[in-house]
Each structure stands twice: as structure tokens, then as C-alpha cells.
């Protein structure tokens, strides 16, 4: 199995944190919050998984900021995200960045996450009770494939 680390940002309802905590409880994966990623020695890991909620159509801004300070050449990188509703390709920019900078992009996995942003709060939010067990298992299956590939 590949040595794997997840770097994550989860600021709205800890939806993404729920996913990554589940993954690390089921699979041999180390998990780091984005703010702790600066001191991380990426050389130790074969596979880096970036995980984040979607905030205004993008992963957390800090993710790209961190990537820009990091040598990702020849690193395997996967992306996981949670979002209120997926109506567009939210990871287009970040995917382009990792590929353009020489990383070996392995793919992405996502699920919906409880969302009360802005006026959605007035209707009690959307994607209530997400991520659910089905979401967690779907993402775990994908990550398992990355670990074994
Ligand atoms: C500031 C902000 C902006 C958001 N923008 C989007 C968006 O553009 N598209 C979407 O589907 N969800 C959007 N959401 C909802 C979150 O992506 C969703 O709730 C996600 O699961 C949050 O993950 P977290 O709890 O790990 O932070 C937004 C939430 C916040 C707080």
C-alpha cells in the first residue's frame, strides 16, 4: 500500500472532516489539517490526497496557496471534496494546477455535504445528513483503489 497523507480544509460544517476521519479510521492514512501542512515532509508519502469543502466554486483558497509553496513534481495527487450541490466542475483549476506542475493526478471523489451558506440557512439548508454512510463508503472505495494502484 502506498504511504498516504490527506491534507484537508473543512470550515463550514466539518463535512469534509467527517469524510477524512472516516478514511483514516478505515485505511492506513495520516491526516493533517491544512494549517499543519507547512511543516509536513511530503517526501515521506507516495500519495497526497487533498480534501476540502467547496467555497464559492473552488476548493478552500488555502489549498492552492499551500500547493504553490510545495514541490509536487512526480507526486501522486488525488482530490476529495464535499459540496452543497454539484452543478459544475469545481476542481477544474486545481486539477490543471497539479497536472501543469508535474504531479501524477490520480483522480477525484466527492459527495454532497450539509450546506447552510447564505440564504440556504432560511430554508434549513440543503443536503441534510450528508455525508451519509453511503457517501463515506463510496469515497473509501475510490481511495482504496488509489492506495493499491
Ligand atoms: C462560503 C461558502 C461558500 C460555498 N460555496 C459553495 C459552492 O459554490 N458550491 C457548492 O456546491 N457548495 C458551496 N458551499 C457549501 C459547502 O461546499 C458544503 O457545505 C461543504 O460540504 C462544506 O464542507 P465543510 O463542512 O468541510 O467545510 C459553500 C459553503 C460556504 C460556507
Amino acid at each position: 500500500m502506498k504511504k498516504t497523507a490527506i491534507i484537508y480544509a473543512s470550515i463550514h460544517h466539518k463535512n469534509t472532516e467527517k469524510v477524512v476521519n472516516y478514511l483514516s479510521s478505515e485505511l492506513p492514512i495520516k491526516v493533517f489539517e491544512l494549517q499543519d501542512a507547512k511543516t509536513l515532509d511530503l517526501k515521506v508519502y507516495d500519495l497526497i490526497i487533498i480534501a476540502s469543502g467547496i467555497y464559492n466554486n473552488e476548493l478552500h483558497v488555502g489549498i492552492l496557496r499551500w500547493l504553490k509553496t510545495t514541490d509536487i513534481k512526480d507526486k501522486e495527487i488525488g482530490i476529495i471534496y464535499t459540496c452543497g450541490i454539484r452543478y459544475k466542475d469545481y476542481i477544474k483549476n486545481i486539477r490543471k494546477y497539479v497536472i501543469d506542475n508535474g504531479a501524477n493526478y490520480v483522480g477525484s471523489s466527492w459527495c454532497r455535504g450539509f450546506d447552510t451558506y447564505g440564504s440556504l440557512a432560511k430554508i434549513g439548508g440543503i443536503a441534510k445528513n450528508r455525508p451519509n454512510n453511503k457517501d463515506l463508503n463510496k469515497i473509501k472505495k475510490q481511495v482504496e483503489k488509489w492506495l493499491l494502484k
Side-chain angles (χ1 to χ4, degrees):
M1 279 215 183
K2 287 176 191 157
K3 283 204 160 190
T4 304
I6 296 182
I7 287 70
Y8 79 96
S10 182
I11 59 166
H12 190 32
H13 287 291
K14 302 280 180 198
N15 297 327
T16 313
E17 188 170 82
K18 185 176 177 185
V19 174
V20 302
N21 283 346
Y22 177 72
L23 292 173
S24 74
S25 73
E26 294 280 312
L27 299 166
I29 293 177
K30 286 247 183 331
V31 170
F32 302 90
E33 277 195 72
L34 180 60
Q35 69 224 38
D36 302 324
K38 284 173 218 116
T39 52
L40 193 66
D41 183 7
L42 287 191
K43 283 189 210 83
V44 180
Y45 300 99
D46 309 308
L47 171 65
I48 304 297
I49 298 175
I50 293 162
S52 173
I54 297 299
Y55 313 106
N56 299 317
N57 299 326
E58 300 283 346
L59 297 191
H60 189 282
V61 285
I63 297 277
L64 187 58
R65 211 176 287 144
W66 169 70
L67 279 174
K68 286 185 172 167
T69 65
T70 309
D71 182 12
I72 55 169
K73 198 171 176 335
D74 298 326
K75 239 333 130 215
E76 293 203 353
I77 293 190
I79 298 172
I80 290 172
Y81 61 96
T82 68
C83 61
I85 188 158
R86 186 173 180 259
Y87 62 89
K88 61 179 281 194
D89 180 5
Y90 291 128
I91 61 166
K92 196 171 163 204
N93 292 338
I94 210 100
R95 187 174 56 230
K96 184 174 180 335
Y97 179 86
V98 300
I99 293 169
D100 287 353
N101 284 276
N104 176 8
Y105 175 67
V106 296
S108 67
S109 191
W110 70 281
C111 69
R112 295 185 74 186
F114 182 44
D115 180 6
T116 56
Y117 178 51
S119 51
L120 290 176
K122 291 197 191 105
I123 56 159
I126 57 168
K128 284 177 207 162
N129 304 315
R130 307 287 293 274
N132 58 25
N133 286 345
K134 205 171 156 203
D135 296 320
L136 297 177
N137 270 315
K138 178 188 93 165
I139 297 178
K140 181 189 148 187
K141 282 209 175 94
Q142 181 60 67
V143 170
E144 253 173 343
K145 283 187 194 150
W146 294 342
L147 258 67
L148 294 168
K149 206 158 70 175

